[in-house]
């Protein structure tokens, strides 16, 4: 099947050429891998690829056998870091069908990331179709139970040149990785280290973009957190070095004694889709949610006085992670006695039940693939 171009709601639509792998992983081996896939270590048989050039636009949409890329040593991505990515999951419903959770939100964020990084924006219908086609062809790789198929759409600049300018060629791809439950035995509270040596983003920077450079810049701080005996790092603002922003790879929420929630405002942090979903669920239930600055000193004081009842991090991989302990150079403090809180666990259950199709979907977040 060749590639054709049509208009769908004013956007370019591409027909994907489906090329089944001639050497898929044998069933017995696949089943063995799915027993304990871990996270991001096992990969499916196929990948989706779409190419872009300034002259042709987006073209050559395929689903093909997963394989290595051949890149010239002067490919722009290797020297100037024009690269973005997304993360979402496919979930198996009780009836055997498959759900995607808010892929349109991922597609919109991907478009915004591309625009900020001076890359070619990918039309939303092409993004979603690439994800759905890969899920359909690799359906057998989705684990049962609380497992899911983690999907990683990404785009790299692959023009061959040395010079500081936007690339004129890009490659969009989607790969998939079966993942088990993020927590074995239930969500356990994590400990976090407040980084006072490193910052993640500043106003006008790329903090709101899901690009690899942001994560590379966070690795030294994450290593520092581990050296301090903590699971994760939390960053402070780059200007005053006192306001909480986000963790290395997750947004953060605070729960207060009046039942309200607070989360850092957007601008220099990633506009998390899980973050947005939590805000929507809470407001629908009549809970007050504030997007406001909150300092490390205030966090410590509120935890000591009892005003702060819970804190939790959120993201696609873990959904919600309760925060039990915070450590900084000025000392450490516990939240909720170091235990998981009821609000965090209730919100987590609401989200997971919607994702797996076990609960109603009043916000139309679910897209059924199969």
């Amino acid at each position: 099947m060749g590639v054709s171009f049509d208009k769908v709601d004013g956007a370019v639509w591409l027909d994907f050429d489906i090329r089944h792998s001639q050497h898929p992983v044998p069933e017995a081996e696949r089943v063995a891998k799915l027993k304990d896939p871990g996270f991001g270590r096992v990969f499916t048989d196929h990948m989706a690829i779409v190419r872009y050039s300034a002259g042709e636009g987006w073209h050559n949409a395929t689903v093909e056998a997963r394989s290595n890329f051949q890149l010239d040593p002067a490919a722009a991505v290797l020297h100037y870091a024009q690269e973005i990515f997304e993360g979402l999951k496919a979930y198996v419903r009780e009836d055997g069908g498959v759900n995607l959770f808010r892929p349109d939100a991922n597609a919109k964020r991907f478009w915004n990331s591309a625009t900020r990084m001076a890359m070619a924006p990918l039309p939303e219908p092409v993004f979603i179709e690439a994800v759905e086609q890969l899920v359909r062809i690799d359906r057998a790789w989705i684990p049962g139970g609380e497992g899911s198929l983690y999907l990683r759409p990404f785009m790299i600049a692959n023009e061959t040149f040395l010079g500081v300018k936007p690339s004129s060629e890009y490659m969009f791809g989607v790969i998939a990785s079966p993942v088990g439950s993020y927590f074995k035995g239930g969500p356990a509270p994590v400990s976090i280290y407040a980084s006072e040596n490193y910052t993640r983003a500043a106003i006008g920077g790329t903090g709101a973009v899901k690009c690899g450079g942001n994560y590379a810049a966070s690795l030294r701080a994450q290593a520092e957190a581990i050296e301090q005996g903590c699971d994760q790092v939390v960053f402070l603002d780059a200007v005053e070095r006192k306001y909480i922003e986000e963790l290395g790879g997750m947004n953060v929420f605070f729960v207060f004694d009046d039942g309200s929630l607070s989360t850092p405002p957007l601008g220099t942090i990633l506009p998390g889709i899980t973050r947005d979903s939590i805000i929507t669920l809470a407001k629908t239930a009549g809970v007050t949610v504030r997007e406001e600055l909150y300092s490390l000193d205030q966090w410590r004081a509120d935890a000591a006085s009892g005003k702060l009842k819970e804190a939790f991090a959120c993201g696609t991989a873990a959904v919600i992670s309760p925060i039990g302990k915070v450590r900084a150079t000025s000392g450490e403090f516990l939240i909720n006695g170091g235990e998981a809180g009821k609000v965090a666990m209730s919100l987590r259950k609401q989200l997971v039940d919607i994702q797996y199709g076990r609960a109603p979907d009043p916000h139309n977040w679910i897209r059924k693939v199969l």
Side-chain angles (χ1 to χ4, degrees), residues 73-276:
V77 66
L78 302 177
H79 301 271
Y80 307 110
Q82 272 193 298
E83 180 272 353
I84 58 174
F85 66 96
E86 275 297 322
L88 66 160
K89 290 179 178 179
Y91 309 84
V92 176
R93 301 190 304 272
E94 292 178 353
D95 63 6
V98 178
N99 288 343
L100 290 174
F101 183 73
R102 302 189 69 182
D104 55 326
N106 290 98
K108 288 181 175 67
R109 189 170 65 182
F110 197 74
W111 176 286
N112 292 336
S113 291
T115 300
R116 174 61 181 86
M117 300 299 287
M119 303 173 77
L122 182 76
E124 180 179 327
V126 179
F127 179 102
I128 293 176
E129 184 66 12
V131 169
E132 290 190 348
Q133 289 286 4
L134 185 58
V135 170
R136 291 188 187 105
I137 198 170
D138 281 339
R139 163 68 178 80
W141 282 93
I142 307 178
E146 292 296 306
S148 56
L149 187 65
Y150 182 81
L151 298 148
R152 171 53 61 87
F154 62 95
M155 191 200 304
I156 62 172
N158 61 325
E159 182 183 358
T160 300
F161 74 97
L162 295 178
V164 184
K165 71 177 185 66
S167 175
S168 64
E169 297 177 13
Y170 297 96
M171 183 164 58
F172 167 73
V174 187
I175 56 176
S177 175
V179 296
S181 175
Y182 198 82
F183 300 102
K184 294 185 181 300
V190 296
S191 58
I192 62 173
Y193 182 73
S195 178
E196 295 166 273
N197 295 323
Y198 305 98
T199 60
R200 181 184 177 277
I203 296 171
T206 60
V209 175
K210 204 164 177 65
C211 64
N214 288 346
Y215 294 83
S218 74
L219 296 180
R220 179 58 250 173
Q222 175 62 29
E224 186 179 64
I226 293 173
E227 291 166 3
Q228 294 294 324
C230 295
D231 302 305
Q232 271 282 347
V233 63
V234 64
F235 289 99
L236 306 179
D237 75 286
V239 178
E240 298 188 57
R241 300 293 187 95
K242 68 178 185 179
Y243 295 110
I244 302 299
E245 292 217 315
E246 62 181 332
L247 276 67
M250 304 175 81
N251 296 119
V252 63
F253 278 84
F254 308 98
V255 183
F256 296 94
D257 56 2
D258 63 357
S260 66
L261 300 181
S262 171
T263 190
L266 297 179
T268 56
I269 67 173
L270 188 71
I273 294 165
T274 305
R275 173 189 182 276
D276 182 72

Side-chain angles (χ1 to χ4, degrees), residues 16-21 46-49 60-66 129-135 137-138 174:
F16 279 74
D17 188 358
I18 309 299
R19 306 170 188 173
H20 289 266
S21 172
H46 298 86
M47 62 184 182
I49 298 291
N60 287 0
T62 64
V63 176
E64 57 193 69
R66 186 177 182 275
E129 184 66 12
V131 169
E132 290 190 348
Q133 289 286 4
L134 185 58
V135 170
I137 198 170
D138 281 339
V174 187

